Amino acid sequence: MMKHVLSILVQNQPGVLVRVASMFSRREFNIDSLAVGTTHTPELSRITVVVYGDLDLVNQITKQLEKLSDVQAVQLLNADTSVFRGLT
């Protein structure tokens, strides 16, 4: 089991975080850490999620997130090219 960090770009609207978190709950995926903030574009927010699991689990989470209408993009952050501070 490895730690994976997902960056999720979503519409900045009420209830979006609840829908994303509910998807994790319904599929019985565990969130280790969660951070949310607006981007330089006021219409979009970024949700950063830390999950533990294998690559198959992360791929399944990504596919499920991409099905949500409010989600614009999902990206698995690479530990070699990303800075992880305060996410564990």
Side-chain angles (χ1 to χ4, degrees):
M1 300 255 294
M2 294 182 58
K3 175 174 66 170
H4 300 280
V5 180
L6 293 170
S7 175
I8 309 163
L9 194 62
V10 298
Q11 294 292 321
N12 189 12
Q13 298 176 352
V16 173
L17 178 59
V18 171
R19 285 191 283 280
V20 170
S22 294
M23 188 283 303
F24 278 86
S25 176
R26 283 191 312 271
R27 304 289 192 265
E28 297 183 0
F29 299 139
N30 192 29
I31 296 173
D32 189 58
S33 177
L34 178 81
V36 183
T38 58
T39 63
H40 62 280
T41 307
E43 297 84 24
L44 298 175
S45 290
R46 183 171 311 280
I47 302 172
T48 306
V49 179
V50 177
V51 295
Y52 281 96
D54 58 8
L55 204 51
D56 290 334
L57 176 73
V58 173
N59 289 334
Q60 183 65 28
I61 291 170
T62 302
K63 288 177 187 176
Q64 295 296 322
L65 286 169
E66 289 173 343
K67 290 180 182 179
L68 298 176
S69 61
D70 296 315
V71 173
Q72 299 296 310
V74 180
Q75 182 179 12
L76 176 62
L77 299 181
N78 185 344
D80 297 332
T81 59
S82 302
V83 178
F84 302 140
R85 292 189 187 136
L87 294 174
T88 57

